[in-house]
Structures are given as C-alpha cells and as structure tokens.
Amino acid sequence: MKNLYQNMSHAEKKLSMIEDILQMDFNMTDKKSFNGMFHLYLDMNEEIDRDTANTEINNMIFFSVLGMPESFLIENIETTFKENVFWSDYIHIYFVKDDDEITLLLRFNVAADNEDEMNIKFETTERLYILKNQKLSRISDIKAKRYIENFKDLYDSLGFDPTRFAYTQYITFDYTKVRKNFKEFPVVTQLLTAAKEDFGLLRLNTILQIDRTYCKDPKTQENDVFYNIGNMQP
C-alpha cells in the first residue's frame, strides 16, 4: 500500500486524504490520524511563523536556475480584490513567463480546481490579470494560456528531478480567507517567492509578508506577519 501511495500524483494524494477523512468514524483510534491530516489542511492560506517562512524562502536555492525574482511587488491589490469579491470564490495565482520576465497571473473564478497542466481552459465569466511593473492589468485568455505554457516549458527544460521536486502551475487562495485574515492591504503588497515541502517534494510557493496592522488577528507579536498563500496545484 505504501508503494502504491508513493506512485500517486499530488492531486490523487490529496483526493485520497479527503476520502480517508470522510470514511473515518472519529473514534479514539482515528483521532491521531485525523489530527495529522487536519493540520496539513490548516497550513493552507494560514499564518506561518518567521522560521517557517525563512526555511521556505531559503529553499529557493534549489530553484535558482529558474531565475525567479526574490519577491513580487503589487500596487493597489486591494482594488482588484474588491472588484471581484462579490462574484468570485477563489483566486488562483499562476507562475508565468511573459515576453520579458517571470511574473504572476491572477485568475478570479468560482471553481476551486478545474484544470490540470495539460488542459488549460478559461470560462468566459472569469477575469485574468497580469502583473507588470508592479501593477495588475486585465489580460486575454489567449495570452494567459501562452504565458502559463511558457513557464511550464522553461521549468521542463531545466530537468528538475521528479523524485525531489514537483511542478507548481498555480496556487489556489480561498476568498473567505481574505475576508477572515485581513482588514485591508497596503499600497504595495509583497509576495515572497518560496519553496514548500508537499508530500516529501519541494514545490514553488508564494508567501505574503504584511504588516500586522493590516491583519485581523495575527498570532505573532512581531510587526511582520507571514502567510502561506494557498493550496499548490496540480
């Protein structure tokens, strides 16, 4: 059974975990297993301590050949959030390569996960934004698809060992977490590039670094608060 689990894709492992939780009787023998799985889910979209953030940031040394920036600065992200908060349920943050550089693509929709790395498709109701010169601007689905594929081609060309690393196409951020954790956002928001361990493999991730005055109930007493942005896909 252990070898079978190791051969699953990341998406299959996550689905398997959900099935295991649904089948539990929640008696005392299941309590320890449930707590372990539950804490894995709590990690997503939640605050992390500085040491955890530093570990994930330092892990980027293993992805240095990608030439990614250390962070992404986004001006007036709150304006974009407010424009989409009443109709969308999820924000998907993609690593993309446009015609000049590696940057981010933000996608707003009502579906948690509706694609894989081989099947990129967008609904007509969705909104797509590209980060360029620290500003978010609307982008067509044709260009978005091309930029996503550009980054995947770059990643594949560098020959990362699949027994040590996994490709992250996008990160899903639940809109309810935005409302739960934050009062507002600064004029310039910073997303740090990082690499997080996921089922024993390192995957690209982003970490929000934000002043505590913008947070509703930060656990840390430090001025800087760190959040793992979301659920890495696929």
Side-chain angles (χ1 to χ4, degrees), residues 142-227:
I142 295 173
K143 280 189 175 180
K145 184 176 185 294
R146 177 161 63 87
Y147 293 162
I148 292 168
E149 291 172 341
N150 284 352
F151 183 77
K152 180 63 163 61
D153 290 344
L154 173 64
Y155 183 95
D156 288 344
S157 72
L158 295 171
F160 287 99
D161 183 349
T163 66
R164 297 178 57 204
F165 306 100
Y167 168 64
T168 301
Q169 179 164 286
Y170 63 99
I171 301 162
T172 297
F173 193 13
D174 189 333
Y175 236 131
T176 59
K177 299 294 185 178
V178 177
R179 293 187 286 265
K180 170 189 171 185
N181 291 325
F182 309 108
K183 302 173 187 174
E184 56 183 340
F185 287 86
V187 174
V188 178
T189 298
Q190 180 172 219
L191 294 181
L192 307 172
T193 52
K196 180 180 178 181
E197 186 173 316
D198 183 44
F199 293 100
L201 301 178
L202 278 182
R203 304 186 62 160
L204 291 172
N205 188 33
T206 54
I207 296 173
L208 170 66
Q209 181 176 346
I210 190 169
D211 189 281
R212 64 177 293 111
T213 58
Y214 295 99
C215 306
K216 288 187 177 179
D217 187 25
K219 300 171 188 174
T220 182
Q221 297 304 308
E222 297 183 35
N223 289 332
D224 289 329
V225 188
F226 299 91
Y227 288 86

Side-chain angles (χ1 to χ4, degrees), residues 97-175:
K97 186 177 185 302
D98 65 12
D99 298 326
D100 304 307
E101 61 186 352
I102 293 174
T103 185
L104 299 178
L105 174 79
L106 271 62
R107 172 187 184 188
F108 295 81
N109 68 10
V110 295
D113 302 300
N114 62 354
E115 70 177 57
D116 55 48
E117 62 192 86
M118 301 301 293
N119 184 26
I120 301 169
K121 57 183 179 180
F122 304 107
E123 302 297 331
T124 55
T125 56
E126 297 182 359
R127 294 180 184 173
L128 304 165
Y129 297 80
I130 190 77
L131 177 63
K132 195 73 175 174
N133 298 322
Q134 300 187 16
K135 293 180 172 60
L136 291 170
S137 57
R138 294 285 293 273
I139 186 176
S140 70
D141 56 350
I142 295 173
K143 280 189 175 180
K145 184 176 185 294
R146 177 161 63 87
Y147 293 162
I148 292 168
E149 291 172 341
N150 284 352
F151 183 77
K152 180 63 163 61
D153 290 344
L154 173 64
Y155 183 95
D156 288 344
S157 72
L158 295 171
F160 287 99
D161 183 349
T163 66
R164 297 178 57 204
F165 306 100
Y167 168 64
T168 301
Q169 179 164 286
Y170 63 99
I171 301 162
T172 297
F173 193 13
D174 189 333
Y175 236 131

Side-chain angles (χ1 to χ4, degrees), residues 13 35 43-44 50 60 67 92 127 149 158 174 213 234:
K13 288 175 182 177
N35 286 342
D43 244 0
M44 300 171 185
R50 181 179 290 273
M60 279 301 294
H92 309 282
R127 294 180 184 173
E149 291 172 341
L158 295 171
D174 189 333
T213 58

